[in-house]
Amino acid sequence: MKKTTNKSTEELVDNFKELRNEVRNFIDEEKAKGTFEPQCDSWLGGVSTEFSHKLGKRGWVGMTWPKKYGGSGKSALARFVVTEELLAAGAPIAAHWVADRQSGALLLKYGTEEQRKYYLPKIASGESYFVIGLSEPNSGSDLASLSTVAEKVDGGWVLNGSKLWTSGAHYSHYMIGLVRTSPQDSNNRHGGLSQFIIDLTNPGVTVRPIHLMTGEHHFNEVILDNVFIPENQIVGEIGNGWTQGMAELAYERSGPERFLSTFPLLVELLRVIQVDPDRFAKIEVGKLVSRLWILRKMSISVATLLENGETPNLMAALVKDLGTQFEKQIAETSRLLVSSNPSVTSPFSSAFERRLAEAILHSPGFTLRGGTTEILRGIIAKEVVAK
Amino acid sequence: MSDINEMLIDSTKKIMRDFSTKETIVETENGIWPKDLWQIIEESGLTTVAISEENGGTGGTFGDAISMLRVIGKFAAPIPLPETLLANWLLADIGLRASIKPLTLSSIDEKDNFTFTEVEGGWSLTGASNYIPWARFVEGIVIIGTSEKETLITVVDPALCQIKPGTNLGGESRDFVEIQDQFIKKVEVIAVTEAVLMSNYYKGTIIKTALMAGSLERLLELTAAYTKERSQFGRPIHRFQAIQNHLAVLSGEATAAKIAADNLIEAVDTNSYETQAMITKIVVGEAASKSVPIAHQVLGAIGFTDEHVLQFTTRRLWAWRDEYGTESEWAEQLGAQVINNGPEEFWPFITALD
Ligand SMILES: Cc1cc2nc3c(=O)[nH]c(=O)nc-3n(C[C@H](O)[C@H](O)[C@H](O)COP(=O)(O)OP(=O)(O)OC[C@H]3O[C@@H](n4cnc5c(N)ncnc54)[C@H](O)[C@@H]3O)c2cc1C
């Protein structure tokens, strides 16, 4: 019998009790000060650079990285504890989220020593934010078809093209862009792609806002018009961009943000129905609780496997698929259990109504971002058949 | 879990491969006792796992027994091993010796169906139940009943009962048992506390989840294999995206059941496990309800026949999801608990379940 779950579970209880309490106390203090109101999808919509600084000061950004790069040298499970506590509280953690979760990890693995020394401490302090430059107008799920190009020039590369749906580009500092460095080759669809660090203040970079249907400004189009990128801003090897990007996918898909986006609504739901819970409400709540429990256990298993150097891509895809369905289910169950007028704008809406409105309005994104459900299921099925 | 675990699992798998065959399952469902299968189970000491050697058992932990039963579930083994273990654990809890022979027990929910009346030198037992597993095949039926004052337990010889065969959806024996004014010596009747009974009920629930997790593992294997073997329109059906979607959903549910069972197996020997037991029964119950229709859809008409082995697994999943509490029954309890704790205690409750 493999004992992985056991070990991780024990660790989560014993080693992290103190850390968990520390995070909870911090959250309570901040809520008491009125720093934030819990919100759904706070890792996407909760932008507070001030809050990110505070987390950085406490060592809770880049916490798994070595101390010499500004990290805290903690385990992935310690990071799991901190992030799940912040997500469950609906805290505003969007600003540094991408840099902390994947850009930093990428640089740590593939970056030059110069890049690590320059970028990682800034990220870990909670002051430097990154965006993901993958999608393009004509390349969504079929990412390998992307057409933004980099042309070799003296001392570096010149980039032309456009990146779409880049979350947070309007307040972030850098983009890790995946671009084409050699022409498309139908025999090697994943070849010829490379990753660059693109300073968003560079001449030739235009960030054009795109508003969500809620009116929120979340993502953007980033237009690259003859943007010069010096040689020392290449990540890893030229032509190896696809492989480098994919290595982080298991992290990106299996974390607690894939099932906790609407958790703040669930808390409000409990607050409302505790007054007079009937049998139906109890059953529906019990089902959500059991689902939440198993998703968290699955996510912890993936974190443990990753920590042991494995790449559990199948399990990671499953966590994202099941987790994002669950996030939507919370909204659906809530609206059917408690009749209300969900709204984010009405002056008199209750906390329940605001959380419900956020959950509903943000729900289409859950099963799209980070690989759509359809794409994930294709990956899962292929792995199952290949076993 | 203990170090005997790996050995136990390996030998159980080997026994299952050799003896829990299609023929044996079919014969047993038709009312023939699986003599050879049971004999090897008995000889291998599997009927008394998690009972100490001093008490006549094989040793090992409760977690060991549960991981063994996952294998039993995977192979749809037609034997009252779960019931025998559960009965033995109950007997051990009240200080009686374990038996290696096949046993069963009446349901804790039905303790009021059986009444003990004091008579000279002992008790007179009367009562009936129409859902006692394997009653017609076992050598002892543990009856849980009540007197005017308390809950009592005794082991009854099936020869002294009137038994009429019945089955659950899985074709497993679930028999009608009637006992009429049966005299039982005073020394053979023992009082039992509510706590012991509840603990046994949770153990029964955990056993069911282990059997179901094993079945779901089998269900995924059978379904995935079929999508590679079966070709239509000139290609194996796993190449169709609609089938891939089915496989992905099935795989998600089977994995959820597996991880839930893994966690439970770890938890039972170290922590209190009541909450995890109820959560796991909900998780595997939902997994069964979502997965079985998918498997049948993917296997087409062949999977709907008695010829194909798929039905051994799917019918058992249909039966087991209702035994020891449906998803709704447990969800109501769990939901009540969480709602009662209040919103601020919810997240701490989840993280305390590690
Ligand atoms: C909130 C949010 C934030 C995002 N942030 C970023 C970001 O920061 N950076 C970034 O680069 N991108 C970002 N994205 C983009 C995201 O990665 C894409 O939306 C996603 O990859 C899907 O691409 P698409 O939207 O172009 O849909 P398409 O790929 O055009 O898909 C449309 C539909 O067709 C289906 N489909 C496509 N191909 C197949 C297939 N082979 N089989 C079956 N079905 C298929 C899809 O599942 C979908 O249902 C974000 C998206 C959202 C919603």
Side-chain angles (χ1 to χ4, degrees):
Chain A
M1 288 290 303
K2 271 199 188 159
K3 291 213 171 187
T4 42
T5 34
N6 188 31
K7 249 198 236 134
S8 58
T9 295
E10 271 174 20
E11 269 188 62
L12 279 185
V13 185
D14 301 335
N15 304 357
F16 298 132
K17 211 172 243 167
E18 220 172 295
L19 177 62
R20 199 182 283 289
N21 283 338
E22 211 184 309
V23 183
R24 282 186 187 164
N25 290 337
F26 166 76
I27 289 169
D28 287 346
E29 281 165 28
E30 292 299 317
K31 275 207 281 199
K33 279 192 243 167
T35 312
F36 72 93
E37 177 180 338
Q39 89 187 84
C40 289
D41 210 11
S42 70
W43 62 280
L44 182 132
V47 179
S48 163
T49 53
E50 201 187 321
F51 197 80
S52 292
H53 289 179
K54 285 184 187 167
L55 295 179
K57 281 212 190 85
R58 290 184 174 252
W60 293 339
V61 181
M63 63 188 289
T64 60
W65 310 339
K67 293 204 167 123
K68 64 173 170 176
Y69 303 125
S72 309
K74 293 276 162 45
S75 69
L77 288 169
R79 179 177 180 271
F80 191 98
V81 168
V82 171
T83 50
E84 73 169 350
E85 288 296 327
L86 291 165
L87 288 160
I93 49 178
H96 66 277
W97 185 260
V98 166
D100 175 48
R101 182 183 69 186
Q102 68 202 87
S103 318
L106 180 80
L107 294 178
L108 196 59
K109 192 157 176 197
Y110 293 104
T112 60
E113 188 57 20
E114 181 197 354
Q115 288 168 352
R116 290 184 199 149
K117 284 210 167 111
Y118 182 75
Y119 293 109
L120 296 182
K122 291 206 281 184
I123 298 176
S125 71
E127 292 167 66
S128 181
Y129 314 132
F130 277 63
V131 298
I132 305 168
L134 295 175
S135 308
E136 296 183 2
N138 291 319
S139 302
S141 299
D142 184 11
L143 184 60
S145 71
L146 63 84
S147 59
T148 296
V149 285
E151 241 180 295
K152 185 79 190 88
V153 295
D154 241 13
W157 297 74
V158 170
L159 273 55
N160 276 292
S162 140
K163 290 291 175 184
L164 203 57
W165 318 127
T166 40
S167 302
H170 51 301
Y171 58 77
S172 297
H173 307 97
Y174 304 98
M175 169 158 90
I176 305 267
L178 184 67
V179 306
R180 189 164 293 292
T181 41
S182 25
Q184 222 163 343
D185 173 1
S186 54
N187 292 321
N188 181 15
R189 292 195 77 229
H190 297 154
L193 299 170
S194 308
Q195 288 176 306
F196 289 83
I197 306 170
I198 302 163
D199 185 332
L200 292 170
T201 60
N202 263 348
V205 177
T206 311
V207 176
R208 189 177 69 81
I210 302 173
H211 294 274
L212 300 183
M213 61 183 172
T214 54
E216 286 165 271
H217 180 190
H218 164 69
F219 45 39
N220 306 273
E221 178 168 15
V222 178
I223 299 154
L224 306 170
D225 180 14
N226 283 315
V227 178
F228 174 76
I229 305 289
E231 204 73 57
N232 68 355
Q233 300 305 309
I234 296 165
V235 183
E237 279 169 52
I238 288 292
N240 197 36
W242 184 270
T243 311
Q244 292 169 195
M246 292 306 119
E248 301 303 321
L249 270 186
Y251 286 95
E252 200 188 318
R253 288 185 171 152
S254 66
E257 74 274 26
R258 298 303 182 184
F259 57 90
L260 289 177
S261 301
T262 56
F263 184 82
L265 168 60
L266 192 45
V267 174
E268 290 312 314
L269 173 69
L270 291 178
R271 205 185 308 285
V272 176
I273 59 176
Q274 72 176 343
V275 180
D276 182 24
D278 62 10
R279 177 162 189 263
F280 180 59
K282 288 175 193 163
I283 292 174
E284 291 301 308
V285 166
K287 284 186 187 166
L288 290 177
V289 174
S290 63
R291 204 66 178 173
L292 172 61
W293 176 85
I294 187 60
L295 283 164
R296 182 167 175 273
K297 290 295 179 191
M298 291 171 80
S299 180
I300 292 170
S301 310
V302 179
T304 312
L305 291 170
L306 285 168
E307 184 109 323
N308 297 340
E310 295 176 51
T311 40
N313 285 330
L314 170 61
M315 269 276 273
L318 286 175
V319 171
K320 181 171 186 288
D321 182 14
L322 295 177
T324 52
Q325 309 293 331
F326 171 72
E327 291 176 333
K328 289 180 163 179
Q329 188 61 49
I330 290 178
E332 194 58 15
T333 300
S334 298
R335 67 167 270 274
L336 292 174
L337 283 181
V338 179
S339 303
S340 74
N341 300 313
S343 170
V344 276
T345 53
S346 300
F348 301 114
S349 56
S350 66
F352 173 78
E353 288 169 323
R354 286 199 298 281
R355 298 296 87 76
L356 180 55
E358 288 160 6
I360 292 171
L361 291 169
H362 277 227
S363 64
F366 302 162
T367 46
L368 293 171
R369 60 186 175 195
T372 68
T373 302
E374 292 71 22
I375 295 298
L376 288 174
R377 289 190 178 169
I379 294 168
I380 295 164
K382 284 194 187 93
E383 293 254 353
V384 168
V385 169
K387 262 191 182 171
Chain B
M1 275 196 301
S2 68
D3 37 338
I4 76 157
N5 189 273
E6 211 148 310
M7 246 170 53
L8 181 68
I9 298 299
D10 286 346
S11 62
T12 310
K13 277 188 188 152
K14 187 167 177 339
I15 295 171
M16 288 299 114
R17 266 189 222 108
D18 295 346
F19 292 89
S20 186
T21 58
K22 187 175 169 181
E23 293 69 38
T24 308
I25 299 175
V26 171
E27 274 180 16
T28 312
E29 288 190 15
N30 288 328
I32 300 165
W33 173 244
K35 203 164 79 292
D36 297 343
L37 173 58
W38 183 263
Q39 195 179 336
I40 180 108
I41 292 273
E42 223 178 75
E43 285 168 8
S44 313
L46 302 189
T47 55
T48 56
V49 176
I51 291 191
S52 67
E53 287 168 33
E54 305 88 80
N55 281 327
T58 308
T61 68
F62 184 36
D64 293 328
I66 301 303
S67 33
M68 167 185 82
L69 287 165
R70 174 143 76 165
V71 180
I72 300 289
K74 180 167 179 183
F75 285 85
I79 35 168
L81 183 57
E83 290 76 11
T84 302
L85 284 168
L86 205 52
N88 269 328
W89 295 336
L90 183 57
L91 295 180
D93 280 345
I94 57 173
L96 294 179
R97 265 185 87 77
S99 155
I100 61 165
K101 296 293 170 197
L103 296 178
T104 190
L105 69 176
S106 68
S107 169
I108 289 158
D109 288 338
E110 293 187 334
K111 64 176 194 283
D112 292 331
N113 286 25
F114 293 95
T115 42
F116 287 87
T117 317
E118 245 178 317
V119 292
E120 204 181 317
W123 299 88
S124 168
L125 174 61
T126 295
S129 161
N130 55 27
Y131 207 77
I132 297 194
W134 298 92
R136 67 189 118 126
F137 297 112
V138 297
E139 300 194 10
I141 303 176
V142 175
I143 295 286
I144 304 165
T146 49
S147 70
E148 273 178 2
K149 285 190 295 222
E150 54 197 342
T151 305
L152 299 171
I153 288 185
T154 191
V155 186
V156 175
D157 179 350
L160 305 174
C161 309
Q162 201 207 348
I163 297 178
K164 291 191 185 130
T167 55
N168 66 9
L169 291 175
E172 296 178 299
S173 143
R174 297 288 184 268
D175 302 332
F176 170 84
V177 174
E178 188 171 21
I179 302 170
Q180 278 287 355
D181 299 325
Q182 188 59 52
F183 175 75
I184 304 185
K185 278 189 254 164
K186 195 162 188 156
V187 292
E188 288 169 6
V189 175
I190 295 190
V192 61
T193 63
E194 196 58 27
V196 165
L197 288 179
M198 271 325 287
S199 148
N200 193 257
Y201 189 77
Y202 276 108
K203 285 176 182 159
T205 308
I206 292 169
I207 285 181
K208 246 353 116 167
T209 67
L211 294 170
M212 292 175 74
S215 291
L216 283 158
E217 189 182 326
R218 175 98 169 124
L219 195 69
L220 178 61
E221 283 176 12
L222 286 172
T223 310
Y226 187 75
T227 65
K228 291 193 263 187
E229 290 156 26
R230 176 68 172 170
S231 278
Q232 284 294 284
F233 299 96
R235 46 186 174 152
I237 57 171
H238 74 77
R239 301 274 295 279
F240 299 113
Q241 210 165 47
I243 296 292
Q244 290 175 4
N245 193 58
H246 280 320
L247 278 180
V249 176
L250 175 53
S251 157
E253 294 303 322
T255 306
K258 177 188 180 303
I259 301 283
D262 283 349
N263 271 282
L264 194 52
I265 287 168
E266 302 292 356
V268 289
D269 291 333
T270 48
N271 306 328
S272 69
Y273 46 74
E274 286 78 4
T275 308
Q276 288 210 28
M278 77 170 95
I279 291 178
T280 304
K281 188 65 167 56
I282 301 169
V283 170
V284 295
E286 287 187 340
S289 299
K290 287 179 192 156
S291 302
V292 167
I294 291 177
H296 273 298
Q297 189 66 20
V298 170
L299 269 85
I302 190 74
F304 194 38
T305 64
D306 70 348
E307 265 303 293
H308 201 281
V309 293
L310 181 70
Q311 47 109 4
F312 297 141
T313 295
T314 56
R315 282 188 294 109
R316 277 170 180 72
L317 283 169
W318 275 326
W320 294 342
R321 62 185 178 164
D322 292 349
E323 295 179 342
Y324 285 90
T326 64
E327 298 90 282
S328 292
E329 286 174 77
W330 285 120
E332 185 181 358
Q333 274 199 42
L334 178 63
Q337 191 180 335
V338 165
I339 294 168
N340 195 37
N341 291 345
E344 304 310 331
E345 283 310 306
F346 180 40
W347 180 246
F349 169 82
I350 292 290
T351 57
L353 289 175
D354 280 333

